Amino acid sequence: MRHERVSDAIFVFTSEMYAQVTASAVVTTEGIVVVDTLPFPQETRAMVSFLKGLGRGPIRYLVNTHWHGDHTNGNAVFANVQLVSHQLCAETMQAMGEARQDESTAERPTREEGIQIRVPDITFDAGEMCLHLGGKSLQMIPTPGHTPDSIVVNVREDKVVLAADTLMPLPYFVKGSHQDFKNSLRSLLELPADTVVQGHGEVLLRGEIKEVISSHICYLDTIQRRVAALLEAGQGPEALRKMDIESCGKSRIPLNGLVQDLHHANLQALYQEMTKTND
Ligand SMILES: [Zn+2]
């Protein structure tokens, strides 16, 4: 795990064990709010001991941005901390119980590593929720697309958006919705952010934020157009293999190449969705 400071009050922790997953902590005058955990409990424990070492008060809340295991596997490390999420996140985690598996074939932290599920305590089911603590306002905004329960956390005073998987090197909607994702990305363009922390990969700075979001929207449009063309030409799903990520306007390099798997899973999901609506 490595850490960096992106504003006076905000630290970002990045997994060195799986897919550059990030978790963040907002340090306030009345304690700390952690947003997401790291994939492996030992990394989450390292993050917690770093935060305790700051001597800036207890961890008061943990926010889950969505149910995926690579961001919630550390929940049980925060035994006496109030856990906040969207209602759909709590419901999904509850329903999946111990049978919960992770979002993609490439995700591996599972029960074998001794992971205990902990379901959020405080939830909201409509509109936004804002947590005010020690001079900071954490605005939790629903951004469905990656998953139906996805939220981003806008730390207003710092102009930092903790975007989780609503912004990662490639939009990934296999457990969510292609159309919702586009709408959510458009809504992110409206936020006045100096810094955006992605759910996987590098922190984005002011000059690049809008460009990255626009490029994601463009990618989602491109694959929709190309899958539609393929269907019109009467081609089967095997033709999707030839539609490589670079021809859809995205680099194949980020996350050690994992984006290529995400891209192909996106194409399959979109193909299925579009054949369903065509029937
Ligand atoms: Zn995710």
Side-chain angles (χ1 to χ4, degrees), residues 65-71 103 107 146-147 150 164-166 168 172 200:
T65 60
H66 64 302
W67 62 268
H68 281 158
D70 53 337
H71 303 267
E103 64 179 320
E107 273 181 274
H146 174 66
T147 55
S150 283
D165 288 358
T166 298
M168 50 192 271
Y172 178 62
H200 297 253

Side-chain angles (χ1 to χ4, degrees), residues 63-202:
V63 177
N64 281 160
T65 60
H66 64 302
W67 62 268
H68 281 158
D70 53 337
H71 303 267
T72 59
N73 278 342
N75 279 4
V77 171
F78 298 83
N80 299 310
V81 174
Q82 298 265 26
L83 217 169
V84 185
S85 77
H86 195 280
Q87 173 68 11
L88 291 173
C89 175
E91 280 173 13
T92 308
M93 286 174 70
Q94 185 79 48
M96 298 193 82
E98 296 202 349
R100 174 164 61 84
Q101 294 295 317
D102 293 302
E103 64 179 320
S104 78
T105 50
E107 273 181 274
R108 282 291 167 258
T110 60
R111 286 171 63 203
E112 288 89 77
E113 281 87 22
I115 286 153
Q116 273 178 287
I117 289 171
R118 202 191 139 206
V119 177
D121 313 299
I122 304 170
T123 62
F124 65 109
D125 63 2
E128 299 177 357
M129 174 167 161
C130 196
L131 174 62
H132 298 274
L133 184 75
K136 298 291 178 190
S137 315
L138 282 77
Q139 180 188 10
M140 295 176 228
I141 307 167
T143 51
H146 174 66
T147 55
D149 64 331
S150 283
I151 60 169
V152 302
V153 180
N154 178 27
V155 188
R156 287 179 186 155
E157 291 77 7
D158 294 53
K159 289 197 172 176
V160 174
V161 175
L162 310 175
D165 288 358
T166 298
L167 270 189
M168 50 192 271
L170 190 78
Y172 178 62
F173 55 83
V174 168
K175 299 281 162 106
S177 151
H178 174 270
Q179 187 56 46
D180 287 351
F181 216 140
K182 276 203 278 187
N183 296 336
S184 291
L185 287 170
R186 284 193 197 106
S187 72
L188 276 193
L189 283 171
E190 309 297 315
L191 288 178
D194 283 344
T195 306
V196 171
V197 180
Q198 304 191 93
H200 297 253
E202 300 297 320

